[in-house]
Amino acid sequence: MTETNLTVRMDFVLLGFSDIPRFHWLLFGVFSVIYLAILLGNGIIVLVTRADVALQTPMYFFLSNLSFLEICYVSVTLPRMLMDLWTQKGSISFFSCATQMCFFLMLGATECFLLAVMAYDRYVAICNPLHYPLVMNHRVCVQLVVASWISGAPVQIGQTWQIFSVSFCGSNQISHFFCDIPPLLKLACGDIFVNEIVVYLFAVLLVTVPFLLILSFYMRIISTIMKLPSNTGRTKAFSTCSSHITVVVLFYGSATVTYLKPKSDQYVGIDKLLSLFYTVLTPLFNPMIYSLRNKDVRKAMRKFLPKLSAL
């Protein structure tokens, strides 16, 4: 038993999409295109919001950070998945698995906080427009972004440590395409009730609390918008929030169901599908959502892309 546990702790196997081996090369091609599209789309958003003078506002400062975050977030999982699809081997060391999970959780927590910060920005802009330049000055914006990036790190490092401190026995096959908490806990032996409670508590702290803040901000935003005297004013106010609301629904919807739903083997396929939403599709859709629904971004892109193609 000691030798078995030692072997499992040194090496895991990510099963990924091994249940559909005939589609490996198709999946590799599709996800390669998606990864390049994510890098290109979010990269352009970062460059455009930094280069265009008209976009030097708090809203676009936060959008730039969100796009950069999406690049980091997807780079934790997709390159590894592409390598596994290419080699058709899912072997990953104990340390690499722990590192991947830690960065994935930290960046996920950062996205939760950053989406809440963006909701707060819209709340101040719509509900307290006269105080907006004073409240959301550059120093405050930088502090909010830095807090979003670092606040979840200690918690997620601790959570990673407590997950990988459990004993693993029997199978070392992780039924997922990256090292995530639910499939990894299924490989643990012994009583892991305390570990599961800690996972739920962290999920409530880092997912539910920011979501409730976002919900609270938007309830006040909607209340303020409905009091505006003109339809034009209401439409304009709603349009500044619509892109952010869409991203929040995509990210929180899939992530919340994945981490807070009951644990069961029958959800394995659904887990992978939901994980694709918040790890791949949300970063892919973000640039499309903000460029298609935001005329300022579209205008800046029309000026920026010809300059980029001329280089």
PDB file of all heavy atoms in Angstrom, residues 11 14 27 35 57 74 99 149-150 155 161 199-200 223 258 269 309:
ATOM      1  N   ASP A  11       2.820  10.719  -9.758  1.00  0.00           N
ATOM      2  CA  ASP A  11       2.349  10.818 -11.129  1.00  0.00           C
ATOM      3  C   ASP A  11       0.840  10.635 -11.203  1.00  0.00           C
ATOM      4  O   ASP A  11       0.281   9.734 -10.581  1.00  0.00           O
ATOM      5  CB  ASP A  11       3.041   9.742 -11.970  1.00  0.00           C
ATOM      6  CG  ASP A  11       2.961  10.032 -13.452  1.00  0.00           C
ATOM      7  OD1 ASP A  11       2.775  11.204 -13.810  1.00  0.00           O
ATOM      8  OD2 ASP A  11       3.106   9.084 -14.247  1.00  0.00           O
ATOM      9  N   LEU A  14      -4.096  12.548 -16.687  1.00  0.00           N
ATOM     10  CA  LEU A  14      -5.278  13.318 -17.074  1.00  0.00           C
ATOM     11  C   LEU A  14      -5.955  12.602 -18.238  1.00  0.00           C
ATOM     12  O   LEU A  14      -5.385  12.506 -19.332  1.00  0.00           O
ATOM     13  CB  LEU A  14      -4.873  14.736 -17.480  1.00  0.00           C
ATOM     14  CG  LEU A  14      -4.341  15.640 -16.364  1.00  0.00           C
ATOM     15  CD1 LEU A  14      -3.696  16.889 -16.954  1.00  0.00           C
ATOM     16  CD2 LEU A  14      -5.456  16.027 -15.410  1.00  0.00           C
ATOM     17  N   LEU A  27     -10.093  17.578 -32.195  1.00  0.00           N
ATOM     18  CA  LEU A  27     -10.116  18.408 -30.991  1.00  0.00           C
ATOM     19  C   LEU A  27      -8.848  19.251 -30.881  1.00  0.00           C
ATOM     20  O   LEU A  27      -8.904  20.423 -30.479  1.00  0.00           O
ATOM     21  CB  LEU A  27     -10.266  17.525 -29.740  1.00  0.00           C
ATOM     22  CG  LEU A  27     -11.623  16.843 -29.564  1.00  0.00           C
ATOM     23  CD1 LEU A  27     -11.573  15.863 -28.402  1.00  0.00           C
ATOM     24  CD2 LEU A  27     -12.716  17.873 -29.327  1.00  0.00           C
ATOM     25  N   TYR A  35      -7.454  28.678 -28.910  1.00  0.00           N
ATOM     26  CA  TYR A  35      -6.399  29.284 -28.083  1.00  0.00           C
ATOM     27  C   TYR A  35      -5.779  30.494 -28.774  1.00  0.00           C
ATOM     28  O   TYR A  35      -5.586  31.555 -28.163  1.00  0.00           O
ATOM     29  CB  TYR A  35      -5.320  28.242 -27.775  1.00  0.00           C
ATOM     30  CG  TYR A  35      -4.252  28.725 -26.826  1.00  0.00           C
ATOM     31  CD1 TYR A  35      -4.586  29.386 -25.644  1.00  0.00           C
ATOM     32  CD2 TYR A  35      -2.903  28.528 -27.104  1.00  0.00           C
ATOM     33  CE1 TYR A  35      -3.615  29.819 -24.761  1.00  0.00           C
ATOM     34  CE2 TYR A  35      -1.920  28.961 -26.225  1.00  0.00           C
ATOM     35  CZ  TYR A  35      -2.280  29.614 -25.061  1.00  0.00           C
ATOM     36  OH  TYR A  35      -1.312  30.060 -24.188  1.00  0.00           O
ATOM     37  N   THR A  57     -10.227  55.462 -19.503  1.00  0.00           N
ATOM     38  CA  THR A  57     -11.196  55.642 -18.418  1.00  0.00           C
ATOM     39  C   THR A  57     -11.152  54.419 -17.514  1.00  0.00           C
ATOM     40  O   THR A  57     -10.642  53.361 -17.916  1.00  0.00           O
ATOM     41  CB  THR A  57     -12.621  55.815 -18.976  1.00  0.00           C
ATOM     42  OG1 THR A  57     -13.004  54.609 -19.656  1.00  0.00           O
ATOM     43  CG2 THR A  57     -12.685  56.984 -19.956  1.00  0.00           C
ATOM     44  N   VAL A  74      -6.448  31.162 -19.330  1.00  0.00           N
ATOM     45  CA  VAL A  74      -6.578  30.074 -20.297  1.00  0.00           C
ATOM     46  C   VAL A  74      -5.231  29.405 -20.554  1.00  0.00           C
ATOM     47  O   VAL A  74      -5.179  28.218 -20.905  1.00  0.00           O
ATOM     48  CB  VAL A  74      -7.198  30.602 -21.607  1.00  0.00           C
ATOM     49  CG1 VAL A  74      -6.169  31.351 -22.448  1.00  0.00           C
ATOM     50  CG2 VAL A  74      -7.822  29.485 -22.430  1.00  0.00           C
ATOM     51  N   THR A  99       0.768  22.640  -9.032  1.00  0.00           N
ATOM     52  CA  THR A  99       1.064  23.982  -9.537  1.00  0.00           C
ATOM     53  C   THR A  99      -0.046  24.476 -10.462  1.00  0.00           C
ATOM     54  O   THR A  99      -0.490  25.626 -10.368  1.00  0.00           O
ATOM     55  CB  THR A  99       2.409  23.985 -10.293  1.00  0.00           C
ATOM     56  OG1 THR A  99       3.446  23.544  -9.415  1.00  0.00           O
ATOM     57  CG2 THR A  99       2.739  25.382 -10.797  1.00  0.00           C
ATOM     58  N   TRP A 149      -6.038  40.975  -7.791  1.00  0.00           N
ATOM     59  CA  TRP A 149      -5.021  39.994  -8.175  1.00  0.00           C
ATOM     60  C   TRP A 149      -4.443  39.245  -6.980  1.00  0.00           C
ATOM     61  O   TRP A 149      -4.095  38.058  -7.107  1.00  0.00           O
ATOM     62  CB  TRP A 149      -3.895  40.687  -8.937  1.00  0.00           C
ATOM     63  CG  TRP A 149      -4.190  40.908 -10.393  1.00  0.00           C
ATOM     64  CD1 TRP A 149      -4.776  42.002 -10.959  1.00  0.00           C
ATOM     65  CD2 TRP A 149      -3.943  39.998 -11.481  1.00  0.00           C
ATOM     66  NE1 TRP A 149      -4.905  41.832 -12.317  1.00  0.00           N
ATOM     67  CE2 TRP A 149      -4.405  40.626 -12.667  1.00  0.00           C
ATOM     68  CE3 TRP A 149      -3.378  38.731 -11.568  1.00  0.00           C
ATOM     69  CZ2 TRP A 149      -4.304  40.017 -13.924  1.00  0.00           C
ATOM     70  CZ3 TRP A 149      -3.279  38.119 -12.816  1.00  0.00           C
ATOM     71  CH2 TRP A 149      -3.735  38.760 -13.974  1.00  0.00           C
ATOM     72  N   ILE A 150      -4.326  39.900  -5.841  1.00  0.00           N
ATOM     73  CA  ILE A 150      -3.604  39.268  -4.725  1.00  0.00           C
ATOM     74  C   ILE A 150      -4.515  38.745  -3.614  1.00  0.00           C
ATOM     75  O   ILE A 150      -4.079  37.922  -2.812  1.00  0.00           O
ATOM     76  CB  ILE A 150      -2.558  40.222  -4.123  1.00  0.00           C
ATOM     77  CG1 ILE A 150      -3.242  41.413  -3.434  1.00  0.00           C
ATOM     78  CG2 ILE A 150      -1.576  40.692  -5.182  1.00  0.00           C
ATOM     79  CD1 ILE A 150      -2.261  42.339  -2.711  1.00  0.00           C
ATOM     80  N   VAL A 155      -5.493  32.331   0.135  1.00  0.00           N
ATOM     81  CA  VAL A 155      -6.551  31.340   0.351  1.00  0.00           C
ATOM     82  C   VAL A 155      -6.385  30.166  -0.594  1.00  0.00           C
ATOM     83  O   VAL A 155      -6.492  28.999  -0.195  1.00  0.00           O
ATOM     84  CB  VAL A 155      -7.939  31.987   0.162  1.00  0.00           C
ATOM     85  CG1 VAL A 155      -9.040  30.939   0.280  1.00  0.00           C
ATOM     86  CG2 VAL A 155      -8.160  33.095   1.180  1.00  0.00           C
ATOM     87  N   TRP A 161      -2.764  23.353  -0.904  1.00  0.00           N
ATOM     88  CA  TRP A 161      -1.979  22.560   0.049  1.00  0.00           C
ATOM     89  C   TRP A 161      -2.855  21.527   0.750  1.00  0.00           C
ATOM     90  O   TRP A 161      -2.464  20.366   0.891  1.00  0.00           O
ATOM     91  CB  TRP A 161      -1.336  23.489   1.077  1.00  0.00           C
ATOM     92  CG  TRP A 161      -0.550  22.726   2.113  1.00  0.00           C
ATOM     93  CD1 TRP A 161       0.734  22.288   2.037  1.00  0.00           C
ATOM     94  CD2 TRP A 161      -1.040  22.290   3.399  1.00  0.00           C
ATOM     95  NE1 TRP A 161       1.095  21.611   3.174  1.00  0.00           N
ATOM     96  CE2 TRP A 161       0.021  21.590   4.019  1.00  0.00           C
ATOM     97  CE3 TRP A 161      -2.258  22.418   4.067  1.00  0.00           C
ATOM     98  CZ2 TRP A 161      -0.116  21.039   5.288  1.00  0.00           C
ATOM     99  CZ3 TRP A 161      -2.391  21.870   5.326  1.00  0.00           C
ATOM    100  CH2 TRP A 161      -1.321  21.190   5.928  1.00  0.00           C
ATOM    101  N   VAL A 199     -13.580  23.038   0.896  1.00  0.00           N
ATOM    102  CA  VAL A 199     -13.753  23.415  -0.515  1.00  0.00           C
ATOM    103  C   VAL A 199     -15.027  24.226  -0.693  1.00  0.00           C
ATOM    104  O   VAL A 199     -15.030  25.268  -1.367  1.00  0.00           O
ATOM    105  CB  VAL A 199     -13.785  22.160  -1.415  1.00  0.00           C
ATOM    106  CG1 VAL A 199     -14.242  22.531  -2.831  1.00  0.00           C
ATOM    107  CG2 VAL A 199     -12.416  21.503  -1.460  1.00  0.00           C
ATOM    108  N   TYR A 200     -16.114  23.778  -0.079  1.00  0.00           N
ATOM    109  CA  TYR A 200     -17.387  24.505  -0.178  1.00  0.00           C
ATOM    110  C   TYR A 200     -17.300  25.877   0.478  1.00  0.00           C
ATOM    111  O   TYR A 200     -17.828  26.872  -0.048  1.00  0.00           O
ATOM    112  CB  TYR A 200     -18.524  23.693   0.444  1.00  0.00           C
ATOM    113  CG  TYR A 200     -19.117  22.664  -0.488  1.00  0.00           C
ATOM    114  CD1 TYR A 200     -18.770  21.335  -0.395  1.00  0.00           C
ATOM    115  CD2 TYR A 200     -20.024  23.029  -1.488  1.00  0.00           C
ATOM    116  CE1 TYR A 200     -19.302  20.382  -1.262  1.00  0.00           C
ATOM    117  CE2 TYR A 200     -20.572  22.097  -2.349  1.00  0.00           C
ATOM    118  CZ  TYR A 200     -20.205  20.775  -2.235  1.00  0.00           C
ATOM    119  OH  TYR A 200     -20.734  19.846  -3.094  1.00  0.00           O
ATOM    120  N   SER A 223     -32.431  50.086 -10.326  1.00  0.00           N
ATOM    121  CA  SER A 223     -33.343  51.003  -9.646  1.00  0.00           C
ATOM    122  C   SER A 223     -33.095  52.441 -10.085  1.00  0.00           C
ATOM    123  O   SER A 223     -34.047  53.198 -10.333  1.00  0.00           O
ATOM    124  CB  SER A 223     -33.163  50.877  -8.133  1.00  0.00           C
ATOM    125  OG  SER A 223     -33.953  51.825  -7.452  1.00  0.00           O
ATOM    126  N   THR A 258     -20.592  23.940 -11.278  1.00  0.00           N
ATOM    127  CA  THR A 258     -19.518  22.952 -11.179  1.00  0.00           C
ATOM    128  C   THR A 258     -19.077  22.723  -9.745  1.00  0.00           C
ATOM    129  O   THR A 258     -18.919  21.584  -9.298  1.00  0.00           O
ATOM    130  CB  THR A 258     -18.308  23.396 -12.022  1.00  0.00           C
ATOM    131  OG1 THR A 258     -18.715  23.500 -13.393  1.00  0.00           O
ATOM    132  CG2 THR A 258     -17.162  22.397 -11.913  1.00  0.00           C
ATOM    133  N   GLY A 269     -19.180  13.824 -17.282  1.00  0.00           N
ATOM    134  CA  GLY A 269     -19.242  14.446 -18.600  1.00  0.00           C
ATOM    135  C   GLY A 269     -19.729  15.878 -18.531  1.00  0.00           C
ATOM    136  O   GLY A 269     -19.217  16.762 -19.230  1.00  0.00           O
ATOM    137  N   SER A 309      -1.889  46.032 -38.930  1.00  0.00           N
ATOM    138  CA  SER A 309      -1.629  45.273 -40.154  1.00  0.00           C
ATOM    139  C   SER A 309      -0.510  45.909 -40.984  1.00  0.00           C
ATOM    140  O   SER A 309       0.127  45.238 -41.792  1.00  0.00           O
ATOM    141  CB  SER A 309      -2.905  45.188 -40.991  1.00  0.00           C
ATOM    142  OG  SER A 309      -3.363  46.471 -41.353  1.00  0.00           O
TER     143      SER A 309
END
